[in-house]
Amino acid sequence: MIKIIDTYSKINSLFDNGTFNFSKWEHYINEIYNDSADIFKDEMDEFIVSGSYNFEEDFLPIISAVYDNPKLDILYDSFCVVTSNLNEKIVREFGKELNVDIVLYLGLCNGAGWVTNINGFDIILLGIEKIIELNWVDQNSMYGLVYHELGHVYQKQYGVLEQESDDNKRNFVWQLFIEGIAMFFEQKLLGNFDYYHQDVNGWKKYCEDDFTKILYDFNQDLPSMTHSNQRYFGDWCNYNGKGDVGYYLGARFVHFLHNNYTFDQIICFNIDFVYDLYYAFIRLKL
C-alpha cells in the first residue's frame, strides 16, 4: 500500500520569523522516521567536507527561500492532484500494489525527488526546498517526480533494479533500460504513451526528429562514457542544448521490448540479456 506522508502544514513552523531553526527541523524529521535526521545531515556533510560547499552560503539560502514562498502553495496543489487515488490507479494499470511511502518534506537540499530505504521501508522523498529552487512546482513536473520514481520502486519490488557489471558499457545500457522502464511506467499510469514530463520548449519534438542521431551518438559514446562525461541522463546534462535525452531513448527501447515481452517480464531481465537486446534495438533502428 502506498502511504502519503504530507508535512506541508508544518513547514513554516520550522522557521523563527523567517530564520531556519535547525533544532526544530531535526525534531520534525525524527518525528517522520525515528532517528532519521542523520541520513539527511550526513549526505549534506559529504558536500561540506569536500570544501566546495558550506552550509551558510550554499544550503541555507535554498532552505530559507521556502518560508512564506507563494510557490509552496502551487507545489502543494500539484502534489495533491498527482497523489490522489494513487493506489487505485496503480492496481488498475499494473494489477499489483506498491509498498512505499511518499514523503513531502523540507530537507537539507538532498534532492527534489529520490528513492531510498529507511528502517527497511522503501521511501520516495520529495524535497520541497529543491523542488522550489528548480521551479518544478507545476503538475507536469510533479508527475515526473512521483510517477517516475514509482516506476523504479515497481521494478525493485517486482523485478530486478540494481545490477552492475565490470563492463561499463553494460552499466550505461542498464541505466538506459531502467530509466526507460520508469518512463514507461509513468506513461502507462497517465494513460498516454506520448507523454514525457521533460517536454518543455520543444524537447519531445527535438528527440523525435533527431532520434536516430541521438541513438547513434549514445552508442558511439558508450566505450568511453563515464558519470562525469555522459550527456544523456540528467536535466543538467547538455546534448546539443538539451538535457535528459537518455530518458527518451530509454522509453523507446522499452517500447521496442514491449512488442515481444510483457512489462512484468521486462523488469526481470538481467543486465547481460538487456545488453544483447540493446544491440538488437540498435540494429533495427540505425
Side-chain angles (χ1 to χ4, degrees):
M1 179 73 73
I2 293 174
K3 180 181 178 183
I4 306 297
I5 299 176
D6 169 11
T7 72
Y8 164 78
S9 63
K10 299 179 180 180
I11 299 306
N12 280 341
S13 68
L14 303 176
F15 298 83
D16 296 331
N17 296 319
T19 300
F20 179 60
N21 187 315
F22 207 107
S23 296
K24 286 184 177 179
W25 177 86
E26 287 183 287
H27 179 73
Y28 147 85
I29 284 292
N30 287 328
E31 277 191 325
I32 302 173
Y33 295 109
N34 191 36
D35 296 326
S36 63
D38 285 345
I39 295 171
F40 304 91
K41 292 192 294 182
D42 289 349
E43 186 183 70
M44 179 184 71
D45 287 344
E46 286 183 18
F47 289 95
I48 293 173
V49 168
S50 73
S52 300
Y53 302 88
N54 69 67
F55 180 75
E56 287 75 16
E57 293 181 8
D58 299 300
F59 293 84
L60 186 58
I62 295 170
I63 298 168
S64 297
V66 171
Y67 181 73
D68 266 351
N69 192 321
K71 289 184 179 180
L72 180 58
D73 292 333
I74 300 171
L75 182 162
Y76 184 62
D77 288 343
S78 298
F79 174 79
C80 290
V81 170
V82 168
T83 57
S84 176
N85 300 315
L86 197 47
N87 279 297
E88 292 84 349
K89 290 177 185 176
I90 290 172
V91 171
R92 183 177 67 243
E93 294 298 333
F94 296 95
K96 297 176 182 176
E97 283 192 343
L98 288 176
N99 294 307
V100 62
D101 292 353
I102 301 176
V103 186
L104 184 69
Y105 79 112
L106 182 74
L108 301 176
C109 303
N110 308 94
W114 54 305
V115 177
T116 189
N117 190 282
I118 298 177
N119 301 331
F121 295 99
D122 288 327
I123 315 291
I124 295 175
L125 293 163
L126 302 174
I128 286 170
E129 75 292 348
K130 289 297 293 182
I131 295 172
I132 288 177
E133 182 203 15
L134 295 166
N135 199 29
W136 291 352
V137 299
D138 60 287
Q139 284 184 34
N140 198 53
S141 299
M142 193 63 65
Y143 280 127
L145 283 168
V146 177
Y147 288 11
H148 190 87
E149 298 306 329
L150 284 172
H152 290 311
V153 173
Y154 189 93
Q155 185 174 5
K156 179 185 178 185
Q157 293 186 356
Y158 292 107
V160 181
L161 178 64
E162 296 178 1
Q163 289 200 35
E164 193 169 350
S165 169
D166 292 334
D167 178 5
N168 214 34
K169 292 187 293 184
R170 280 173 165 77
N171 291 330
F172 279 106
V173 168
W174 184 256
Q175 185 172 0
L176 183 81
F177 173 66
I178 64 172
E179 295 302 350
I181 284 172
M183 289 302 307
F184 184 99
F185 185 95
E186 188 179 339
Q187 292 171 336
K188 187 168 175 58
L189 206 51
L190 284 164
N192 181 3
F193 282 129
D194 288 324
Y195 175 83
Y196 290 86
H197 69 262
Q198 302 94 338
D199 187 20
V200 177
N201 298 325
W203 180 90
K204 178 171 174 281
K205 186 176 188 308
Y206 172 82
C207 290
E208 289 173 339
D209 292 346
D210 284 53
F211 166 66
T212 302
K213 183 180 187 319
I214 297 169
L215 184 59
Y216 175 84
D217 287 344
F218 178 84
N219 194 55
Q220 290 295 109
D221 286 355
L222 264 182
S224 59
M225 197 179 295
T226 67
H227 289 293
S228 60
N229 70 16
Q230 66 84 16
R231 48 191 178 140
Y232 303 93
F233 305 105
D235 58 278
W236 60 88
C237 294
N238 188 334
Y239 176 89
N240 293 341
K242 303 291 183 183
D244 274 352
V245 297
Y247 291 73
Y248 180 81
L249 287 186
R252 291 284 298 264
F253 180 36
V254 171
H255 280 287
F256 164 78
L257 299 177
H258 198 244
N259 290 327
N260 296 304
Y261 303 96
T262 68
F263 184 69
D264 281 343
Q265 287 175 321
I266 291 168
I267 63 173
C268 294
F269 291 164
N270 68 49
I271 192 169
D272 294 325
F273 188 48
V274 167
Y275 191 66
D276 291 341
L277 291 170
Y278 164 77
Y279 276 102
F281 177 61
I282 287 286
R283 285 193 297 271
L284 183 68
K285 300 298 182 181
L286 292 184

